Amino acid sequence: MGTARILIVDDELIVRESLGGWLERDGHEVDTAQSGEEALEKMKDTRFDILLVDIKMEGMSGLDLLKAVKETDPDVAVVMITAYGSISTAIEAMKNGAYEYLLKPFDPNELGVLIEKIIEHQAQALETQFLREQYKERSRFESMIGQSRALQEIFSLIEDIAPTESTVLITGETGTGKGLAAKAIHSKSPRHEGPFVVVNCGAFPEHLLESELFGYQKGAFTDAKTTKKGRLELAHGGTLFLDEIGEISMRMQIDLLRVLEDRVFYRLGGTQPIEADFRVIAATNKNLEKAIKEGSFREDFYYRLNVISFSMPPLRDHKEDIPLLAEHFLHRFARETNKPVDQISREAMDEMMLYEWPGNVRELENAIERAVVVCKGRKIMPKDLPIFQPEYAALPSDKSLKEVERAHLISVLNENEWNIAKSAKVLGIDRSTLYNKIKRHNISRPS
Amino acid sequence: MNARPKNTILVSPVGDLDLDSEFLHELCDKISEIFGCECEIMPLLKEIDFARDPVRDQHHSTLLLERLSALAPHRVLKVLAITTVDLFIPVLTYVYGEAQLGGKSSIISTYRLQETHSAKVTPATYQCRILKEAIHELGHTFGLRHCPNESCIMHYCRKIQDVDRKSTELCRYCKVLLSDEMKRLASE
Ligand SMILES: [Zn+2]
Ligand SMILES: [Zn+2]
């Protein structure tokens, strides 16, 4: 059983409330809108997995809403709710990409089964994508580089906390190098000869994360043909790095809290206690205090993690490190691609210093990688940088950060023919972040 | 104002039930044990025609919950109403019961609990189902949602026979979540 983020669109208050209540008790995140217009407004800030839409509504019809949604976000499953009188419209909706229609009143099981099916489909799609991307992922920038005061402070902090056994929570925007900081703590700690095991909590669908962390005993479930060690076990004697900790479910939080408290755990289906001999470092780009207030993150788990915490600065706050970082990436990619590129032009460097780098160091790394590939001579020129594609270059310099980001997103999306996975990679952010940004900036695909 | 914390769960029969008082007391004991509260039997609603849909010949449970919350005495923490009439919410054909998630009131109907494949079940099975549905709906009022663990009382059963398979207990996750909620209530 998975849970979904569901938007109910219906002009009757009693339907919104009672159906919403039913779905909430079933564990889903539910929001409601009383019109198609309100639904589209809500979808700008929030990504929903499923829309339940009444076909007959005042103002924008359910069918029009379906068409609008399918245009901007074809991955959302739209389920139409219809009365006997409007079956022909429901069939029309199916032709327009509706996932299914339900004839009201419908059996609660019918609704439950349908939602489960949708969640399974979406999880499968995500899983395939995840496996594909995990395969492509290679280890990127290997060490932390920077001479700025901001980074020097981080370095000395790392020196101080590395020798302790305390749990560490690293916060900061995506691409700021939280993983590198974790790695640095590990390599300076007494556990440096042990393994450094990374778990990207946000990348795993929930059911995979559990077996990935805890491992399983042969026969624990149908697919468990052999016994498999989980990452907790693999981290024995070393450090366990839980990246994107803000993404894990309540249940996983309860389980991990217990491991941290009891210092033992069990494989799925296992009865033998296994000693938890690892130090935990967690990282997130989320505001966990806010998540606690909203009830999606456990306070007790937060305090367990947040024994020592620090924040990685965004690249725009230590721009003086850009030249050093850029040089470093340049030499690495030139070596990797065997291209005789060994300089960055003054103009290109100036442009990089002006840019705000919403994707931080990772975006800079990706920009240099691309520049090395497209560069014709020995010197990187402004035109080689993805951030200075025509649309972008036309921007006056007094634009707000928000506008700059929007323009940048558009240019990257266009450049990658709206391939979300590719664009996200270029931007150095994950897909869901990119989706959210597209929504927030109200960017739509040019037809 | 009121120094005494609310600590009572009301089991509130609606109209006449086909249940003896011995069973109702057993139900109360189980509720006390699981939720750590006092439990009393007290009717609140007699007349429920206001919630009846004449076309469907069923009662709209959401309206009943609203009324129950309004009628419950101040000292009452949660209400569990039990009725023999068939319940529905708009767009769904029926519900076994309904609860205000994290709210005050819940209700269960015995209407669909007596049969399996149109054969009557034994009185013991029938009562056991009522007990499980009651705890399940009350669990919702404490903010618990459906649980994937099939033996947990908060598991949502598609088929009534599956109810017979689940236990009368909360799984360890749901226990943790319940104790969180209890701590939160105590600090209010
Ligand atoms: Zn339920
Ligand atoms: Zn449970």
Side-chain angles (χ1 to χ4, degrees), chain B residues 74-173:
Chain B
H74 182 75
R75 68 192 163 82
V76 168
L77 181 62
K78 307 286 178 192
V79 176
L80 171 80
I82 306 179
T83 178
T84 54
V85 300
D86 197 19
L87 299 174
F88 80 98
I89 61 173
V91 309
L92 293 189
T93 44
Y94 67 92
V95 290
Y96 292 126
E98 195 187 351
Q100 296 167 328
L101 188 68
K104 189 163 219 166
S105 297
S106 58
I107 188 166
I108 60 165
S109 160
T110 60
Y111 187 85
R112 288 170 194 265
L113 302 181
Q114 317 197 32
E115 296 179 356
T116 301
H117 302 308
S118 61
K120 278 244 190 286
V121 297
T122 65
T125 307
Y126 174 53
Q127 291 189 346
C128 194
R129 287 176 179 180
I130 294 171
L131 182 94
K132 287 172 181 173
E133 288 301 308
I135 295 165
H136 177 99
E137 292 304 334
L138 271 173
H140 283 316
T141 66
F142 285 96
L144 299 180
R145 296 170 178 221
H146 289 158
C147 176
N149 185 333
E150 281 168 21
S151 62
C152 174
I153 193 92
M154 290 314 293
H155 185 69
Y156 175 77
C157 299
R158 294 256 163 74
K159 288 187 242 121
I160 192 67
Q161 300 94 287
D162 296 341
V163 174
D164 301 336
R165 245 175 276 143
K166 70 179 178 183
S167 75
T168 54
E169 306 293 334
L170 294 166
C171 74
R172 61 185 188 82
Y173 293 104

Side-chain angles (χ1 to χ4, degrees), chain A residues 1 14-15 18-19 22 24-28 105-109 112-113 116 210 251 255 258 298, chain B residues 56 60 62 89-94 98-99 101 140 145-148 156 158 172-173 176-177 180:
Chain A
M1 187 188 86
I14 192 73
V15 172
S18 55
L19 185 59
W22 193 89
E24 274 185 349
R25 290 191 293 279
D26 210 25
H28 306 292
F106 39 87
D107 190 288
N109 291 341
V113 169
E116 210 157 275
E210 193 180 17
R251 302 171 68 86
D255 276 338
R258 222 163 75 133
R298 296 183 60 80
Chain B
R56 299 179 61 151
H60 184 339
T62 317
I89 61 173
V91 309
L92 293 189
T93 44
Y94 67 92
E98 195 187 351
L101 188 68
H140 283 316
R145 296 170 178 221
H146 289 158
C147 176
Y156 175 77
R158 294 256 163 74
R172 61 185 188 82
Y173 293 104
V176 171
L177 296 174
D180 286 354

Side-chain angles (χ1 to χ4, degrees), chain A residues 281-338:
Chain A
I281 303 178
T284 182
N285 56 11
K286 268 200 176 169
N287 181 340
L288 293 184
E289 267 128 10
K290 192 165 151 246
I292 292 171
K293 283 204 190 87
E294 289 166 355
S296 61
F297 207 83
R298 296 183 60 80
E299 200 171 7
D300 46 8
F301 186 47
Y302 175 71
Y303 285 118
R304 268 286 158 178
L305 294 175
N306 191 19
V307 179
I308 297 173
S309 76
F310 63 90
S311 183
M312 291 298 289
L315 184 54
R316 63 181 171 278
D317 288 354
H318 60 111
K319 283 189 165 178
E320 59 269 46
D321 287 328
I322 290 176
L324 194 68
L325 284 161
E327 290 285 336
H328 170 79
F329 295 139
L330 174 72
H331 293 305
R332 203 183 88 205
F333 291 122
R335 207 170 48 234
E336 276 182 18
T337 54
N338 254 330

Side-chain angles (χ1 to χ4, degrees), chain A residues 26-290:
Chain A
D26 210 25
H28 306 292
E29 295 278 334
V30 181
D31 200 350
T32 60
Q34 55 175 321
S35 67
E37 289 86 351
E38 197 192 347
L40 289 176
E41 201 49 48
K42 289 206 159 165
M43 290 181 73
K44 280 181 188 162
D45 311 310
T46 315
R47 195 185 142 72
F48 295 95
D49 306 306
I50 302 172
L51 253 60
L52 296 176
V53 179
D54 192 10
I55 284 202
K56 245 173 94 184
M57 287 186 293
E58 296 279 320
M60 183 184 223
S61 76
L63 194 59
D64 287 340
L65 173 62
L66 167 74
K67 288 176 186 163
V69 169
K70 283 286 138 181
E71 231 164 68
T72 52
D73 206 338
D75 293 345
V76 179
V78 183
V79 174
M80 310 304 286
I81 296 177
T82 178
Y84 264 114
S86 30
I87 286 201
S88 57
T89 325
I91 292 165
E92 166 124 30
M94 294 297 286
K95 285 187 198 142
N96 279 284
Y99 192 93
E100 187 57 276
Y101 69 87
L102 292 168
L103 207 53
K104 66 182 168 189
F106 39 87
D107 190 288
N109 291 341
E110 199 184 336
L111 179 63
V113 169
L114 177 63
I115 287 178
E116 210 157 275
K117 195 169 97 186
I118 294 174
I119 292 172
E120 222 162 83
H121 269 176
Q122 291 179 337
Q124 258 165 21
L126 198 69
E127 214 171 300
T128 339
Q129 213 166 11
F130 162 68
L131 292 173
R132 216 180 289 141
E133 265 166 40
Q134 195 190 35
Y135 174 73
K136 282 189 300 195
E137 192 80 39
R138 58 199 159 110
S139 98
R140 309 300 303 263
F141 55 125
E142 52 291 306
S143 56
M144 285 173 84
I145 295 166
Q147 293 172 335
S148 63
R149 188 138 164 234
L151 273 206
Q152 292 301 322
E153 276 170 17
I154 297 281
F155 293 150
S156 82
L157 192 71
I158 287 174
E159 295 285 347
D160 291 344
I161 63 183
T164 69
E165 276 285 282
S166 303
T167 304
V168 182
L169 179 66
I170 308 173
T171 58
E173 294 176 13
T174 28
T176 48
K178 299 186 289 291
L180 283 182
K183 185 86 199 264
I185 295 170
H186 168 74
S187 55
K188 291 178 186 303
S189 77
R191 295 178 167 271
H192 69 272
E193 282 181 348
F196 179 74
V197 174
V198 182
V199 184
N200 185 339
C201 302
F204 288 93
E206 188 188 341
H207 65 284
L208 279 188
L209 182 61
E210 193 180 17
S211 54
E212 197 60 39
L213 282 172
F214 291 90
Y216 48 80
Q217 206 72 32
K218 184 179 173 179
F221 43 87
T222 340
D223 287 342
K225 306 264 186 269
T226 53
T227 293
K228 190 185 159 239
K229 285 184 182 174
R231 304 222 184 167
L232 299 187
E233 211 170 331
L234 295 172
H236 189 90
T239 302
L240 179 71
F241 176 49
L242 299 169
D243 201 4
E244 291 191 48
I245 193 77
E247 304 299 322
I248 67 170
S249 68
M250 268 291 169
R251 302 171 68 86
M252 283 321 271
Q253 293 174 39
I254 291 173
D255 276 338
L256 285 172
L257 175 66
R258 222 163 75 133
V259 174
L260 295 182
E261 278 172 349
D262 302 351
R263 303 304 300 181
V264 295
F265 62 93
Y266 299 84
R267 292 183 192 139
L268 300 184
T271 49
Q272 255 174 16
I274 301 169
E275 186 202 354
D277 177 15
F278 46 76
R279 178 192 201 170
V280 171
I281 303 178
T284 182
N285 56 11
K286 268 200 176 169
N287 181 340
L288 293 184
E289 267 128 10
K290 192 165 151 246

